Amino acid sequence: MFVHLFTFYFCSFFYIITRNDEYIRLYYNTKADNYFTTEAVSRIILDLQRGKAADIDGLTAEHLQYSHPVVSVLLAKLFALIALSRCLPAGFKRSYIVPIPKTNDCKSKALNCEDFRGIAISPILSKVFENCLLTQLQAFVNSNDNQFGFKKGIGCPHAIYTVRTVIDRWISQGFRPTVNLCAIDLSKAFDKVNHHALFINLMKIKIPVHCYILLKTFLPAVLLASSGLTHGLLSS
């Protein structure tokens, strides 16, 4: 019962995305450069964080990092074939969700689904492939300097420093104590991103069509799997 309740709750965040046939038709024959080199794959594998949970196949980052160097060669060839065929393996879309309580008071409070944060554990090979795609997309996507989230090398400390600097500047100009700060926490904002608008923007900047198709293929077919709540897993 609890398994199905969690499954229904977290699956409601996923959108069904339709394919934009016109964009694919116009740019399908565009030659794609081979970004999936052995050096790029090896670099991404070395940068994977260790000590993370194993994926649904029992593989972790350590398995790749301590394996024979030929694995990077084979993965580079596999990723290049995926980009050429524009078709993702079904195993790349299989993951499981670990429901993590948002509150530390789990004993004296009755918890419901909204008190849990779903952490998806994706296949480790899929993570390497996604990072390769991310490297390609970074050449096309630019972010605003005022954005601090989801940017490499920038995080909360930089945002806090910026806010403190702005507040100190206004106070030094004699506005004390009328400086007000408004913080907005949008409920499940990341889960409710309009994927249609997102892909329209990606088409406007003319990302490589193989990246476009692969991203479109990823979203609507993510499978959540497990055998129950044993070890905190979620089944569908």
Side-chain angles (χ1 to χ4, degrees):
M1 176 180 177
F2 294 106
V3 172
H4 295 293
L5 184 63
F6 276 118
T7 302
F8 177 79
Y9 178 75
F10 287 113
C11 285
S12 63
F13 299 146
F14 290 91
Y15 289 84
I16 302 300
I17 308 301
T18 58
R19 186 180 299 272
N20 189 318
D21 296 327
E22 182 65 17
Y23 181 80
I24 297 174
R25 183 182 65 82
L26 291 175
Y27 296 99
Y28 188 85
N29 292 325
T30 303
K31 182 179 179 181
D33 295 329
N34 182 19
Y35 294 94
F36 302 103
T37 62
T38 302
E39 292 78 9
V41 173
S42 299
R43 190 183 314 111
I44 290 173
I45 290 177
L46 290 176
D47 291 339
L48 291 175
Q49 294 184 6
R50 303 178 184 177
K52 298 296 182 179
D55 63 16
I56 198 168
D57 298 314
L59 297 178
T60 63
E62 288 82 351
H63 285 98
L64 298 181
Q65 292 172 344
Y66 296 124
S67 62
H68 193 279
V70 74
V71 171
S72 298
V73 179
L74 298 177
L75 288 178
K77 292 183 179 295
L78 172 63
F79 296 161
L81 288 174
I82 292 175
L84 181 63
S85 64
R86 297 176 171 91
C87 182
L88 282 173
F92 277 25
K93 307 171 189 177
R94 298 172 63 242
S95 62
Y96 66 89
I97 284 184
V98 179
I100 305 297
K102 296 181 181 179
T103 176
N104 295 326
D105 189 12
C106 301
K107 296 182 179 179
S108 60
K109 178 184 176 181
L111 302 180
N112 54 40
C113 289
E114 295 184 355
D115 294 318
F116 290 84
R117 178 180 292 106
I119 306 298
I121 309 299
S122 302
I124 190 64
L125 297 182
S126 177
K127 289 183 180 179
V128 176
F129 181 74
E130 290 176 18
N131 278 281
C132 290
L133 281 181
L134 178 61
T135 302
Q136 300 181 43
L137 292 176
Q138 285 176 341
F140 297 88
V141 180
N142 295 319
S143 61
N144 191 286
D145 292 337
N146 293 327
Q147 176 183 337
F148 296 93
F150 306 101
K151 295 176 68 174
K152 186 175 182 180
I154 299 178
C156 288
H158 300 84
I160 295 174
Y161 173 79
T162 302
V163 172
R164 289 296 302 269
T165 302
V166 173
I167 294 176
D168 293 341
R169 180 170 63 86
W170 283 103
I171 292 178
S172 65
Q173 294 178 2
F175 287 90
R176 184 186 302 174
T178 59
V179 177
N180 299 313
L181 176 65
C182 178
I184 301 177
D185 184 12
L186 300 178
S187 176
K188 302 180 181 66
F190 186 78
D191 299 318
K192 297 180 179 178
V193 171
N194 189 323
H195 291 156
H196 297 283
L198 175 63
F199 282 114
I200 288 175
N201 289 330
L202 291 177
M203 286 187 287
K204 287 181 179 178
I205 62 177
K206 294 181 173 59
I207 66 170
V209 70
H210 69 279
C211 292
Y212 175 80
I213 296 177
L214 292 174
L215 289 173
K216 295 272 283 188
T217 306
F218 252 121
L219 289 179
V222 176
L223 303 177
L224 308 178
S226 176
S227 58
L229 285 177
T230 306
H231 303 298
L233 304 186
L234 178 66
S235 70
S236 60

